Amino acid sequence: MKNKTVKALIMLLAVTTVSMTGSVVSFAAEDTAVEASTDDQAAADEVAALIDAIYVQERTETTDADCAAAKEAWDALTDAQKELVEGEEASPDYFGLDTGDASKDDPRNADEIGENELLVVSFGTSYNDSRAQDIKGIEDALEKAYPDWAVRRAFTAQIIINHVQARDNEVIDNMEQAMERAVSNGVKNLIIQPTHLMHGAEYDEMMEVVDAYRDKFESVAVAEPMLGPVGDDAAVINEDKQAVAKAVTDAALADAGYETMDAAAEDGTAFVLLGHGTAHTAKVTYSQMQTQMGELGYKNVFIGTVEGEPEDTSCEAIIEALKEAGYKKIVLRPLMVVAGDHASNDMAGAEEDSWKSMMEASGNFDSVEAQIAGLGRLEAVQQLYVAHTQAAMDEAAK
């Protein structure tokens, strides 16, 4: 009885206080808000840590479970909590960004390969639409051209493999997994077609794995990447570079509404083709592509790179070159196999450090437009890979 009386008095005092000042309700609401905010952030931080744990380039025994755990934890968050996810690499976009329908892609990881395998090796992309159009587009063209060979896929970027697996439950082999799959399936003749642009760092890493497995097969042949042999200096060009230069500029002109490059130039329009860039010695390839554009008479086509390597391909250098040439209308387009994160964000993004934003901020141009389309979807580029594969097959048959 005494306890009930004391409780009643406390409640009465609280009500009286509220009616006089409203402060009790205010304090209680603030405490609840702080507690809820702390709990929300803790839940978001847990997911961020799980994302950071799979944002790695090394596959481990726990990778599959880690990918599943990250997605399960993300799905358990409220919409408000998802907006709070932020880590070293984690953000709401990791699971939340809409990049298209993953079901349109094919991971090409089936067994029952047969004796002849054509393994298509790509860096990869987590952008579903681009993966289906650009990487799968190349694979489909190769499958059509060589129906007697089983076409399979490998990505060299484990970070991307983990992203796609965690978000979309699409499992893609890395190089080691793909080679082990070939061995366990009894493949005798293996042709490897890299979709890489050049003989750069990614190509070198791929070759390390290939060399470790060569003695597991009766024959192994590696086809040329897109732009063929690198060469010694900026003046070296070849038929591959010419074919790619024509393919990408034809597509860029068509999308921009011009019939010829001369017509675009007369209208004050320049095209900036944006590659990734690299510190590897193969970076001279970008300079060679600029030489190739000159050889074709495309004075209003400029080669840039996200990484600014070589130096004359940096955004600042390209802006200065465009300014000196007097072009006022700029069209950006990726010189990359896929139109993924680099194309959508580094090239065309709204952030102030994107190429589009920096060009607009320079005040030198009347318009800056972006065409987001990878090279892999262009038929001419697909047929170039088909030709490279045929050359590798011919070499292996000798």
Side-chain angles (χ1 to χ4, degrees):
M1 180 70 72
K2 183 177 180 181
N3 290 338
K4 290 182 179 181
T5 302
V6 172
K7 185 176 181 181
L9 287 172
I10 292 173
M11 292 178 64
L12 178 61
L13 178 61
V15 171
T16 303
T17 305
V18 170
S19 64
M20 294 174 60
T21 67
S23 60
V24 171
V25 171
S26 177
F27 292 153
E30 288 179 8
D31 289 344
T32 302
V34 169
E35 182 179 353
S37 177
T38 300
D39 290 344
D40 288 345
Q41 190 62 63
D45 289 346
E46 179 183 352
V47 173
L50 291 170
I51 292 174
D52 284 341
I54 58 176
Y55 203 98
V56 292
Q57 189 56 19
E58 181 181 359
R59 178 177 171 81
T60 69
E61 294 181 355
T62 65
T63 294
D64 292 337
D66 293 342
C67 288
K71 182 59 160 62
E72 183 179 358
W74 166 265
D75 288 342
L77 296 180
T78 66
D79 289 344
Q81 289 171 336
K82 289 176 179 177
E83 292 300 318
L84 300 175
V85 173
E86 184 175 353
E88 185 175 343
E89 301 292 347
S91 75
D93 283 349
Y94 189 86
F95 284 115
L97 183 65
D98 182 8
T99 66
D101 185 356
S103 68
K104 294 180 180 179
D105 188 33
D106 181 356
R108 283 189 162 90
N109 58 1
D111 290 316
E112 300 182 3
I113 297 173
E115 293 186 354
N116 301 317
E117 177 181 349
L118 173 52
L119 179 62
V120 185
V121 181
S122 305
F123 177 81
T125 180
S126 63
Y127 278 60
N128 292 332
D129 281 346
S130 179
R131 195 168 63 258
Q133 289 182 273
D134 297 320
I135 294 177
K136 183 175 179 291
I138 295 168
E139 295 166 345
D140 287 347
L142 290 167
E143 190 169 62
K144 181 179 179 180
Y146 305 108
D148 295 333
W149 290 72
V151 176
R152 295 294 182 268
R153 170 191 290 180
F155 281 2
T156 56
Q158 189 67 46
I159 289 172
I160 288 174
I161 293 172
N162 291 353
H163 192 173
V164 175
Q165 180 173 337
R167 185 190 61 200
D168 304 308
N169 198 32
E170 178 181 340
V171 181
I172 298 169
D173 285 347
N174 62 26
M175 272 299 294
E176 288 83 359
Q177 289 174 305
M179 297 300 276
E180 286 292 338
R181 187 183 300 278
V183 171
S184 65
N185 275 263
V187 171
K188 293 181 179 180
N189 304 302
L190 179 64
I191 300 292
I192 296 172
Q193 175 62 70
T195 68
H196 304 126
L197 207 67
M198 63 186 74
H199 289 267
E202 291 295 327
Y203 180 91
D204 290 347
E205 291 175 11
M206 178 197 77
M207 289 305 301
E208 289 181 7
V209 180
V210 173
D211 290 340
Y213 280 86
R214 280 188 184 275
D215 62 356
K216 306 291 185 181
F217 309 97
E218 292 182 8
S219 69
V220 177
V222 182
E224 285 287 341
M226 185 190 299
L227 297 177
V230 176
D232 296 327
D233 57 57
V236 177
I237 54 178
N238 56 35
E239 291 181 357
D240 294 333
K241 293 179 178 65
Q242 183 184 79
V244 174
K246 288 182 176 180
V248 66
T249 52
D250 284 350
L253 283 169
D255 289 351
Y258 295 106
E259 291 188 3
T260 66
M261 196 61 73
D262 287 341
E266 290 174 7
D267 193 37
T269 297
F271 295 89
V272 177
L273 305 179
L274 192 62
H276 183 276
T278 178
H280 193 279
T281 55
K283 66 184 179 182
V284 70
T285 303
Y286 293 109
S287 301
Q288 292 166 350
M289 284 299 290
Q290 187 66 69
T291 299
Q292 180 64 74
M293 294 301 173
E295 289 292 317
L296 291 171
Y298 299 161
K299 61 183 179 180
N300 56 330
V301 177
F302 298 77
I303 305 297
T305 64
V306 172
E307 299 295 332
E309 294 188 83
E311 291 183 2
D312 59 358
T313 62
S314 70
C315 189
E316 294 79 7
I318 296 299
I319 287 176
E320 187 61 29
L322 291 166
K323 178 183 176 182
E324 290 181 5
Y327 294 108
K328 289 296 184 180
K329 300 176 184 178
I330 310 303
V331 178
L332 298 167
R333 188 181 179 101
L335 186 66
M336 307 176 191
V337 175
V338 300
D341 181 66
H342 287 308
S344 297
N345 295 313
D346 296 322
M347 184 184 78
E351 297 296 325
E352 63 180 13
D353 60 348
S354 77
W355 276 59
K356 187 174 188 294
S357 295
M358 286 190 285
M359 286 189 166
E360 290 172 339
S362 74
N364 295 313
F365 313 112
D366 295 336
S367 65
V368 181
E369 303 296 333
Q371 299 175 350
I372 301 179
L375 295 171
R377 69 191 65 185
L378 303 179
E379 185 177 359
V381 170
Q382 293 170 2
Q383 292 309 307
L384 183 62
Y385 283 121
V386 169
H388 285 180
T389 297
Q390 185 63 60
M393 289 180 174
D394 292 344
E395 184 65 27
K398 291 182 179 179

